[in-house]
Amino acid sequence: FSAEVIQEAGIHNANDIATLTPSLSISTNITPFTAAFRIRGIGTSQSDIALEPSVGLFIDDVYLNRSGLGMSDLNDIERIEVLHGPQGTLYGKNTNAGAISIFTRRPNPDAFEGYVESTVGDYDLGRLTAAASGPLSDTVAYRLTGNVHRQDGYFDNSGGEDLNGADDWYVLGKLLYEPSDTLAFLLTGSRVDRDTHCCGADTVQSEQVNAELAARGLPIDKNDPYDYEIATDIDGEFKVRTDSLSLVAEQELAAGALKSITAWGESDGTATRDVDVSQLDVIYQYNGVSSGDFFSQEFRYASDVSGPLNYQLGLFYYQSTTHGGDNQ
């Protein structure tokens, strides 16, 4: 998908990509951190944060070991590639079913540019995105992008806060240094902060649950899974902060191109949810903690020679740590 298609289709997040890609489906089990990506029906159920997906997710050539890290708003996108089937030749890390590769726009070293985009909608939806780019000198250019997204919950919860709202913000900065025509360095840093009354789900309750609700003087469930009316005694929340930093160096050589991708990232989040989805105090999770960090280093060499044979060489190192538990 090109930047023009993304703009015209109103693609704002990963779910919108799935809408436009018949072979891709994205489902969220419990929280955004457990989103499952499937291509041609093949994928990994992300019910446990320690599981790594079989559909690889890459942002600006950096691999993300948890699909949920890519579930926030997508902003200032240059193009999105959805690759079907095993991608072990070029993407060797967890791409058994396919890969989704997202590229954000690079700094413009030739002229100043920028834009502001605003969206309003029902449930007091407000989304504001702004970007600016331009040269700082003959060899240095920058790009800065920011996004704010707020919306009230659309699940009417008679037992507490309305659920599935949004209160997110995002900032992305890039610095491009081109000391010569054949050498370039791109430094990228980002922060995503999400504070959401999330994870509401309309359910059909059993006769026993409704009888117990009535016995306690609580309203029974209408058992209409499409009325967006729920009643839970635990307010669902999903909070996460994600920081990332990457440095990409590209050197053009006489017979090819050498590329180095160095990346680091960390995330910390909590999730509170009413597992029994009712006003009965039976099962719930309070401040379930999830955190992790990663470091990766990749080298690629791609030949560019005249003749029938071309080749690519690569070396990839990846280290990550993931923590999860109940912080009650």
Side-chain angles (χ1 to χ4, degrees):
F1 302 105
S2 65
E4 291 76 13
V5 171
I6 294 168
Q7 178 72 23
E8 293 174 0
I11 294 177
H12 291 292
N13 54 47
N15 288 317
D16 294 334
I17 304 175
T19 301
L20 296 180
T21 311
S23 60
L24 172 65
S25 65
I26 299 176
S27 59
T28 302
N29 179 18
I30 305 171
T31 74
F33 255 7
T34 57
F37 289 46
R38 292 181 173 86
I39 292 181
R40 294 173 175 168
I42 303 174
T44 304
S45 178
Q46 295 292 103
S47 57
D48 190 314
I49 61 171
L51 294 176
E52 293 190 349
S54 53
V55 175
L57 178 63
F58 300 80
I59 297 182
D60 290 330
D61 280 328
V62 176
Y63 171 73
L64 303 180
N65 68 327
R66 297 163 69 185
S67 302
L69 294 173
M71 291 301 291
S72 57
D73 282 357
L74 302 176
N75 304 291
D76 212 22
I77 304 300
E78 177 184 290
R79 71 185 188 276
I80 300 173
E81 301 173 357
V82 180
L83 310 176
H84 303 145
Q87 302 295 322
T89 302
L90 299 179
Y91 297 93
K93 177 65 174 174
N94 289 353
T95 56
N96 300 330
I100 300 172
S101 191
I102 300 170
F103 294 91
T104 58
R105 294 175 180 173
R106 291 170 64 91
N108 187 342
D110 301 319
F112 290 99
E113 64 179 23
Y115 67 88
V116 176
E117 180 183 288
S118 178
T119 303
V120 296
D122 54 1
Y123 299 100
D124 289 332
L125 167 65
R127 182 186 289 113
L128 180 66
T129 303
S133 181
L136 294 175
S137 69
D138 292 339
T139 58
V140 179
Y142 76 94
R143 189 170 195 93
L144 185 64
T145 305
N147 170 266
V148 177
H149 176 196
R150 292 188 173 91
Q151 186 177 21
D152 293 340
Y154 56 84
F155 273 105
D156 184 10
N157 183 17
S158 60
E161 293 277 353
D162 292 346
L163 299 185
N164 286 25
D167 187 1
D168 308 338
W169 65 269
Y170 164 92
V171 63
L172 171 69
K174 293 189 174 186
L175 195 63
L176 174 65
Y177 175 50
E178 297 179 312
S180 69
D181 293 337
T182 60
L183 181 62
F185 298 90
L186 180 62
L187 179 65
T188 303
S190 69
R191 166 167 285 193
V192 178
D193 193 289
R194 306 186 65 184
D195 185 358
T196 304
H197 288 286
C198 90
C199 315
D202 210 340
T203 61
V204 175
Q205 301 288 7
S206 67
E207 294 181 1
Q208 292 85 351
V209 171
N210 272 338
E212 184 63 24
L213 289 170
R216 299 188 184 191
L218 298 171
I220 64 173
D221 197 296
K222 298 178 181 178
N223 280 348
D224 181 355
Y226 303 105
D227 62 3
Y228 292 93
E229 295 182 5
I230 60 176
T232 63
D233 60 333
I234 302 294
D235 291 335
E237 287 187 332
F238 174 72
K239 298 181 180 181
V240 66
R241 187 199 69 200
T242 304
D243 297 312
S244 64
L245 191 66
S246 67
L247 176 63
V248 178
E250 297 177 278
Q251 173 72 65
E252 294 184 11
L253 303 173
L258 179 64
K259 188 173 187 177
S260 168
I261 306 167
T262 307
W264 164 89
E266 68 174 10
S267 63
D268 292 283
T270 61
T272 299
R273 56 192 177 93
D274 192 351
V275 181
D276 59 52
V277 200
S278 74
Q279 287 184 281
L280 300 178
D281 190 12
V282 180
I283 309 173
Y284 65 91
Q285 181 187 42
Y286 180 71
N287 281 352
V289 176
S290 62
S291 63
D293 57 68
F294 76 89
F295 172 81
S296 65
Q297 175 63 57
E298 183 174 2
F299 295 103
R300 301 178 187 171
Y301 178 79
S303 68
D304 184 15
V305 295
S306 59
L309 179 64
N310 275 275
Y311 58 92
Q312 176 165 303
L313 302 176
L315 181 66
F316 180 76
Y317 171 80
Y318 190 89
Q319 183 274 330
S320 68
T321 304
T322 301
H323 301 277
D326 195 336
N327 196 35
Q328 182 177 356

